[in-house]
Amino acid sequence: MIIDHDDFHAIEQGKVIPSEQQAPFNEIEQNIENLLEGFAAKGLVNNNFHALVTNFGKLLFSFIASDAQIAEVDSWHQQGTAQFGGFLMADGGGPSIQQWNTIFTKDGDMLELDVDKVWIIEGHRLDYGSISAASTQKLYPSSVLVPPDEFKKLTKTAVGMPFLDGTLQLGNVSGKVRVAKTNLLTSGGLASTSVFLSKVRPRFVRALMGHVQWLQNNERIELSVEQLSAVKQLEAIAKRYCHSLVERKPSLPVALAIKFVSNRILLDLVISGAVKQPMIQRDLMAFTRMEGSSYRCLFEIYSKTKVR
């Protein structure tokens, strides 16, 4: 897949900003980089998936939450009020916001929130969460921080079989809660989500390509020379993206293209017979849906670049 984009060609050719000219990563991004170091020897097992997603969540929260909201969440952890938090996006009503069942309405200084979220990472174990909800007054979703005392009123159930050798479970979350209007997460504006995704998607691809190498190293899959080469090349391109765009505005089309290629590589591993175990096949196919399905990547690339 070739994207006619200056940044993509620069990354592909290895033209990166010299390290001495790069702005440093913030603390959360550096934690993610540290976790991704030598990922082929770690894989997504042994809590590495959860550690990665936790840091992704912290990065998103740093974009959309105010200092006061961040301090409030920190206080829940320090006081032992809550341990697990999450971001609840996938909706029981459907993929389009016009179909969502999760809707909030304003009642003075309070928000009434109907929740119907599905396939949430460890959703059945969450103590609090940021819930993406629709309203009749906006054409785009808003994020609402639901604290532990209200979140415990929601019904939380595990759904489906676990992934990654039984270490990753999804859950559904539903019910009604009432929170203060100040719990809206509005600090970053509409652009913050795009910037976040442009930073996270290539790092998730690096983790996926590292996990595939971990599977190969542990003789759980059998890659051809060409397949292993493709995995390593994409990992290298994604890493160069992360390090070359530290100083400049991240490119969402390039991040989408990288995730699209990752999806195609994982699909090829399954349909070619390189992956024999059904549960590993299921893991890899599930990851083609997380942080951008192939359809979604192509749709957004088209929308943002007006490719004809």
Side-chain angles (χ1 to χ4, degrees), residues 264-291:
R264 300 305 296 177
I265 287 176
L266 296 180
L267 176 62
D268 174 68
L269 297 184
V270 173
I271 64 176
S272 69
V275 185
K276 305 296 184 186
Q277 298 180 32
M279 294 307 292
I280 298 179
Q281 293 176 354
R282 180 173 175 264
D283 287 347
L284 297 185
M285 295 310 298
F287 289 136
T288 68
R289 304 291 296 176
M290 184 178 176
E291 298 299 347

Side-chain angles (χ1 to χ4, degrees), residues 75-106:
S75 72
W76 299 338
H77 286 273
Q78 293 167 3
Q79 297 168 10
T81 306
Q83 184 177 6
F84 297 108
F87 286 83
L88 291 74
M89 177 61 72
D91 200 90
S96 171
I97 188 173
Q98 288 80 16
Q99 300 170 310
W100 280 12
N101 295 332
T102 304
I103 300 174
F104 73 90
T105 56
K106 296 180 180 179

